Amino acid sequence: MSFLVLVLVLWVEKFSALRQRLQRDGFFLGELVRLERSGKVHPWWSLAILVLAPVAVLVLLLHVLEPVAYGLLALPVHLLVLIYSLGRGDAKAALGPFRDAWRRGDDQAALHVAERDLGLVADDAPSLLIRVQGYLVWQAYQSFFAVIFWYFLLGPGAALGYRLLALCGEHSGQPALKAKAEQLRHALDWLPVRVLALSFALVGNFVAVMRVMLHELLNWRISAGHLIARVGRVADDIPDAQDSQRGLARLDSLWELLLRSAVLWYTGFALWTVLV
């Protein structure tokens, strides 16, 4: 059933607006603010309430539903949870104003819209382009690849837990709670980000990626965002000297690299489903 749900998610993404209607975080963020304002709950207990409790309820619900009607009642729950667990927004669409400014050759406008829309700050256009490239790869990873990895490996509870931890880390105003959420998310990112990096090697520049991964494969301290952005750039196989002239082409090439990796993952999921 997991592979069927993964295929249905692609169909919903392409032909439906269900994701925008389903991804409403108001209640969760309200509970986060309430716990932070109380000031009486330890960060670990806050994470248990905000993340572990919803995951436990979901696992219990699926345990009840899966034996009924050959699991057909559990299928929509899987689908809805996975859609909710995907990242917020559309990374490629968010680059639209930046692409327009870069196409006009207006560096100041590109710097402004990158700070306004993407939260990226840079001193000049070349360094901004590198940061935008990293932003695209990271957003694709954390919005899609990490979620489907944990869903296929451990089920919808793991996918939901990953997204709730991400929301805590992004929106928490309490430093201790934010730090704990980011630590747990770093642990959850360690394996899937390296699997995606190795996927880049198979669909991109194998030698360049492996040269990086030989040094960083077991490095616990490197962040997932930094690692996947670095590997994505070398896997894309476009010389750095051409970045300023081929900035938009580089972004398109990185997106194609991500699409090829997604096809590789789905092929692997399909083979695993058939053979196991």
Side-chain angles (χ1 to χ4, degrees):
M1 183 171 64
S2 295
F3 183 71
L4 174 60
V5 172
L6 290 171
V7 172
L8 289 175
V9 163
L10 293 182
W11 185 87
V12 169
E13 277 283 281
K14 187 172 181 62
F15 299 107
S16 171
L18 179 61
R19 177 178 174 186
Q20 287 73 25
R21 294 197 297 267
L22 187 63
Q23 290 182 335
R24 305 295 176 87
D25 302 318
F27 176 78
F28 178 83
L29 297 180
E31 288 299 303
L32 174 61
V33 171
R34 184 183 65 81
L35 285 173
E36 289 181 338
R37 284 179 177 173
S38 70
K40 300 177 181 179
V41 183
H42 190 276
W44 285 119
W45 278 111
S46 296
L47 288 177
I49 295 170
L50 293 167
V51 179
L52 185 59
V55 170
V57 171
L58 174 63
V59 171
L60 180 61
L61 175 63
L62 290 174
H63 180 72
V64 173
L65 292 179
E66 284 177 353
V68 181
Y70 301 99
L72 291 178
L73 294 180
L75 178 63
V77 177
H78 277 247
L79 181 60
L80 293 175
V81 170
L82 184 56
I83 293 173
Y84 175 80
S85 300
L86 296 175
R88 280 31 180 170
D90 186 330
K92 190 176 182 183
L95 295 179
F98 170 81
R99 293 173 65 93
D100 291 339
W102 191 272
R103 189 180 293 110
R104 296 193 307 269
D106 190 341
D107 292 349
Q108 287 302 315
L111 289 166
H112 172 70
V113 298
E115 183 176 3
R116 182 194 66 192
D117 298 341
L118 310 178
L120 302 177
V121 179
D123 296 328
D124 51 39
S127 60
L128 176 63
L129 182 61
I130 293 175
R131 298 206 63 186
V132 171
Q133 292 165 0
Y135 170 88
L136 177 62
V137 178
W138 164 249
Q139 290 299 323
Y141 161 77
Q142 68 90 21
S143 294
F144 181 73
F145 287 97
V147 175
I148 67 170
F149 176 89
W150 287 117
Y151 171 77
F152 190 81
L153 193 66
L154 296 178
L160 178 62
Y162 180 86
R163 183 52 52 203
L164 295 181
L165 273 177
L167 290 173
C168 288
E170 292 166 4
H171 296 283
S172 176
Q174 187 181 89
L177 176 58
K178 185 180 180 69
K180 300 300 183 185
E182 289 176 348
Q183 287 174 11
L184 290 175
R185 188 181 181 186
H186 176 72
L188 287 177
D189 279 327
W190 194 89
L191 181 58
V193 77
R194 282 157 176 77
V195 174
L196 181 58
L198 295 176
S199 302
F200 284 172
L202 296 177
V203 300
N205 188 327
F206 183 86
V207 175
V209 172
M210 295 310 297
R211 188 180 298 120
V212 173
M213 292 305 296
L214 284 175
H215 295 283
E216 306 295 355
L217 183 62
L218 300 179
N219 185 355
W220 176 258
R221 295 185 178 182
I222 187 172
S223 70
H226 179 74
L227 176 62
I228 202 62
R230 182 180 173 190
V231 172
R233 282 179 54 81
V234 300
D236 190 40
D237 202 22
I238 295 179
D240 289 340
Q242 298 181 12
D243 269 0
S244 59
Q245 294 80 21
R246 298 187 59 190
L248 299 185
R250 184 70 180 264
L251 290 175
D252 293 335
S253 181
L254 281 172
W255 187 252
E256 292 171 2
L257 178 74
L258 291 163
L259 290 178
R260 294 196 302 271
S261 298
V263 171
L264 178 64
W265 278 38
Y266 267 73
T267 302
F269 293 154
L271 291 174
W272 182 266
T273 302
V274 170
L275 298 176
V276 175

